[in-house]
Structure formats: C-alpha cells, structure tokens
Amino acid sequence: MRFQSIAELDAEVVGCRACPRLVAWREEIAVVKRAAFADETYWARPVPGFGPPDASLAIVGLAPSAHGANRTGRMFTGDPSGDVLFKALHQVGVASQPTSTHMGDGLGLRGTRIVSPVRCAPPANKPTPEERETCRSWLAAELALLRPTLKAVVVLGAFGWQALLPVLAEAGWPVPAPRPKFGHGVEVSLGDLRLFGCYHVSQRNVQTGRLTLDMVCDVLAAATSVAGLN
C-alpha cells in the first residue's frame, strides 16, 4: 500500500473489513456493550494511529480493546491500559494531559504517534497470526510515512515486537539475524532507529506488579531522549 499522507492512510484504514472474525466481533461488542457504556455509540471500526504525522517517536501496541479504543475510536483511550500509558507519557512530557477518555477531550501528543499491528479489537485480546499478517500492510504503510522523522520506537509487549521486526526489515532497516528477543528494557540499534522493549501496559501486568508506572516512565524517558523530545 502506498499513501501520500498519514491522513490519507487513516481515512482508508477505518473502512477495512479484511478479517471476518474481527469484523463480526467488533460489531457485536458495539451492540451488546458494557453496562457502564450502555448509552454510548461505539466506534466499532478499525482504529487509526494517534499522534502527529511527523513524529520522531512511535509507540507500538497490540490491538484495540473491545470497550476501550473499539468504543472511543482512539488508541489506548477509555481503558485501564491507557490510564497507565498516558500518565507515563504525560510524566515524560510528550502528552498534554495524563488522561485519555474520549476523542475531543483535549489530549494531544508531542512528537509521538501511537500505532498498532492489529487495528480491530480481537476476541479475548488475542489476534491470530493470520489476522496479524493481514493487518501488516497498514503498519508497513504507516512506518513508511513516518520514516523521514522517526528516530525511536517503544514496543509494548512481545506480540508487537514480533509483528514489528519483519516490517522494519522489509522497509530497509538493518534488523540483525537472528532477530533480537523481546524483553523489558531491551534496547536495539537498527541503523538510525533505536528500538526499545517495554512490558505491555495491560491491567494484568500492572495489577500483578510485573510492570509499574516508574518502569514505563524509565523506558519512555530513554526513548524520548533518543527521539530528541526532552
């Protein structure tokens, strides 16, 4: 896929219906809803990236959550994972506020764009490998558009790491063989791009103590420094 701008890509991605299982699930959730959001109209479409088109830092997640981004239409917005991520982004100085509740809430990102390997909410938060591959072209196109300014990438979780490395290799970044393994705090230099690993900001990781806000901030502080954002 070739696009002239991030705006053009975003406009196209929201109409994608390539994965029947994901289309059925995202639309079913929008009808069934969660009781707390019964009066809301769910987005129920693929979720585009969020952040400026000339970002020097990218945050790579996994996929939208059923009642978070699938409801609000914005990455990591309206769910516990976003509560942690945006608080950390605010602490390191690239988010205008520490909360992200809905589109139009005033949140803005400085030099940072959040993207996802899978753009639709999957059942049980688990996309299949086939769904990841089908969605891969959107990630590749977005990274191609970001390439002129991109200096650092923070990957949240092993799924995103596994999805991202082949895309970077195909785009021409020098990914070593064997490919580097994911781990929290791992840093890998790929020519002019620095890759950072961070445990996913999932509610489970935070509640079990596997990941703390300080741990997220430490990784983001290192990445924003490389990206020239602090």
Side-chain angles (χ1 to χ4, degrees), residues 12-202:
E12 287 293 319
V13 73
V14 299
C16 183
R17 301 182 65 85
C19 299
R21 187 182 79 114
L22 298 187
V23 171
W25 176 252
R26 78 191 192 208
E27 294 178 356
E28 177 185 347
I29 289 298
V31 174
V32 176
K33 301 184 181 180
R34 180 172 283 170
F37 310 124
D39 295 333
E40 296 189 25
T41 299
Y42 277 49
W43 174 261
R45 288 177 279 170
V47 180
F50 172 55
D54 58 350
S56 57
L57 171 64
I59 310 291
V60 178
L62 191 162
S65 64
H67 304 282
N70 187 57
R71 171 174 61 90
T72 64
R74 191 168 71 191
M75 292 284 187
F76 283 101
T77 296
D79 63 30
S81 295
D83 293 343
V84 176
L85 178 60
F86 287 108
K87 187 177 292 185
L89 289 170
H90 183 255
Q91 285 198 19
V92 300
V94 295
S96 62
Q97 61 192 43
T99 57
S100 180
T101 57
H102 61 277
M103 286 196 284
D105 61 4
L107 175 67
L109 297 180
R110 179 175 63 87
T112 304
R113 186 165 173 89
I114 302 175
V115 302
S116 182
V118 175
R119 304 302 171 109
C120 293
N125 290 322
K126 293 182 179 180
T128 66
E130 292 77 16
E131 288 162 350
R132 181 184 66 193
E133 289 304 304
T134 300
C135 212
R136 180 173 173 168
S137 59
W138 297 115
L139 180 62
E142 193 149 9
L143 290 172
L145 289 166
L146 290 172
R147 180 158 192 169
T149 56
L150 194 62
K151 296 178 181 178
V153 179
V154 173
V155 186
L156 302 175
F159 182 97
W161 187 271
Q162 293 165 0
L164 179 64
L165 287 177
V167 175
L168 292 177
E170 289 174 9
W173 274 289
V175 177
R179 288 173 181 163
K181 293 183 178 180
F182 172 79
H184 183 83
V186 166
E187 294 186 27
V188 181
S189 291
L190 307 176
D192 60 357
L193 185 70
R194 187 83 61 86
L195 196 61
F196 295 81
C198 180
Y199 289 146
H200 196 279
V201 288
S202 67

